[in-house]
């Protein structure tokens, strides 16, 4: 799958191992998500377009390059929020749009609960942020929504992906590159990623899964 990029960088391999260890506490987990996001954004933005600019150094006139694309970041709530700060550090002029989705526990299908996208997409490049790609339903639906919004160039940046989710997103959206830190073995009967890292949202925000009222 030519559009699937699993990082081979030793720093990514090291940090994602720490991230998925059950002994990693919430504070360290959040820090590792930020550090991994910084590295993955670096890889995922390698193809951004540049334009030539002219400027002056203290000594002489010079030419250089600047990014020639308006960039939008779309974290999928909740867990995608953990990736926003690092992405904005790397792309300080990016706009941040939010999509809220949770996965129904019985059907394992994504349910959309927040979408305040403006009428038209103002960005040339949109990066979708979500640490977890399990069945791929949330990412596929989010990308579909962004395409209907008018996004022309979409890239998914995640941390752990299951083979089933990777296949599903690339089947529905073969034009969308996926950048991940690790591809895991499989989904289990509950559609959890194995070996996985547990629930990224809960580990980021220090919550444990609770029954809705
Ligand atoms: C997780 C994860 C993805 C989704 C992945 O979110 O952050 O959004 O599940 O599963 P899928 O690929 O099978 O759709 P979750 O539903 O746990 O919500 P949360 O981020 O609010 O915890």
């Amino acid at each position: 799958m030519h559009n699937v990029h699993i990082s081979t960088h030793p720093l990514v391999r090291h940090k994602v191992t720490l991230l998925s260890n059950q002994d990693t506490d919430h504070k360290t987990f959040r820090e590792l998500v930020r550090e991994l996001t910084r590295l993955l954004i670096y890889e995922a933005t390698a193809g951004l377009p540049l334009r030539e600019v002219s400027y002056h150094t203290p000594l002489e006139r010079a030419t250089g390059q600047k990014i020639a694309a308006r960039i939008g970041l779309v974290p999928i709530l909740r867990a995608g929020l953990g990736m926003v700060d690092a992405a904005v550090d790397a792309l300080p002029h990016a706009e941040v749009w939010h999509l809220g989705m949770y996965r129904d526990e019985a059907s394992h299908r994504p349910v959309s609960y927040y979408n305040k996208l403006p009428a038209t997409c103002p960005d040339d490049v949109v990066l979708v942020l979500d640490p977890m790609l399990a069945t791929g339903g949330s990412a596929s639906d989010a990308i579909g929504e962004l395409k209907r919004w008018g996004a022309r160039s979409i890239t998914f940046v995640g941390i752990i992906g299951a083979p089933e989710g990777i296949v599903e997103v690339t089947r529905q959206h073969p034009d969308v590159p996926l950048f991940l830190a690790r591809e895991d073995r499989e989904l289990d009967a509950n559609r959890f990623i194995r070996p996985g890292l547990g629930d990224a949202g809960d580990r980021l925000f220090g919550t444990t899964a609770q029954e809705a009222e």
Side-chain angles (χ1 to χ4, degrees):
M1 286 183 279
H2 70 283
N3 247 357
V4 179
H5 307 270
I6 312 294
S7 181
T8 58
H9 199 292
L11 289 177
V12 172
R13 294 275 178 88
H14 178 91
K15 289 175 191 294
V16 77
T17 300
L18 295 175
L19 186 78
S20 50
N21 189 322
Q22 66 171 358
D23 296 332
T24 297
D25 64 18
H26 299 310
K27 176 175 183 290
T28 309
F29 190 92
R30 280 192 291 272
E31 290 168 357
L32 286 164
V33 166
R34 281 199 288 270
E35 292 167 13
L36 281 161
T37 301
R38 201 168 295 130
L39 296 167
L40 292 165
I41 289 284
Y42 180 77
E43 295 188 351
T45 54
L48 281 178
L50 292 168
R51 63 184 167 85
E52 298 293 314
V53 295
S54 166
Y55 67 104
H56 290 86
T57 74
L59 300 177
E60 64 177 52
R61 187 179 171 87
T63 56
Q65 291 95 33
K66 285 190 170 182
I67 302 292
R70 291 170 302 173
I71 299 167
L73 302 173
V74 181
I76 301 178
L77 311 183
R78 286 179 302 169
L81 288 176
M83 301 174 73
V84 171
D85 285 352
V88 171
D89 282 347
L91 303 162
H93 300 294
E95 297 170 335
V96 184
W97 311 105
H98 300 86
L99 289 179
M101 288 186 176
Y102 70 88
R103 207 173 70 159
D104 181 79
E105 285 184 11
S107 69
H108 309 301
R109 289 293 309 154
V111 179
S112 170
Y113 63 89
Y114 184 83
N115 179 344
K116 288 275 189 184
L117 298 176
T120 55
C121 176
D123 300 310
D124 304 307
V125 173
V126 174
L127 303 179
V128 180
L129 309 176
D130 191 336
M132 306 297 278
L133 195 63
T135 66
S138 303
S140 296
D141 280 14
I143 292 166
E145 189 63 35
L146 295 170
K147 286 182 174 176
R148 286 189 290 280
W149 184 42
R152 293 174 299 279
S153 173
I154 301 172
T155 293
F156 180 89
V157 185
I159 294 180
I160 287 185
E164 296 89 333
I166 293 171
V167 166
E168 180 59 16
V169 177
T170 52
R171 183 185 69 77
Q172 290 199 41
H173 303 289
D175 55 310
V176 173
L178 308 183
F179 285 82
L180 295 165
R182 193 175 82 192
E183 178 176 0
D184 273 14
R185 189 181 67 247
E186 62 185 355
L187 293 179
D188 66 15
N190 291 316
R191 319 313 277 161
F192 293 141
I193 303 173
R194 296 297 184 107
L197 52 69
D199 186 306
D202 283 338
R203 294 192 69 181
L204 274 167
F205 297 114
T207 53
T208 52
Q210 292 177 354
E211 294 295 322
E213 291 188 7

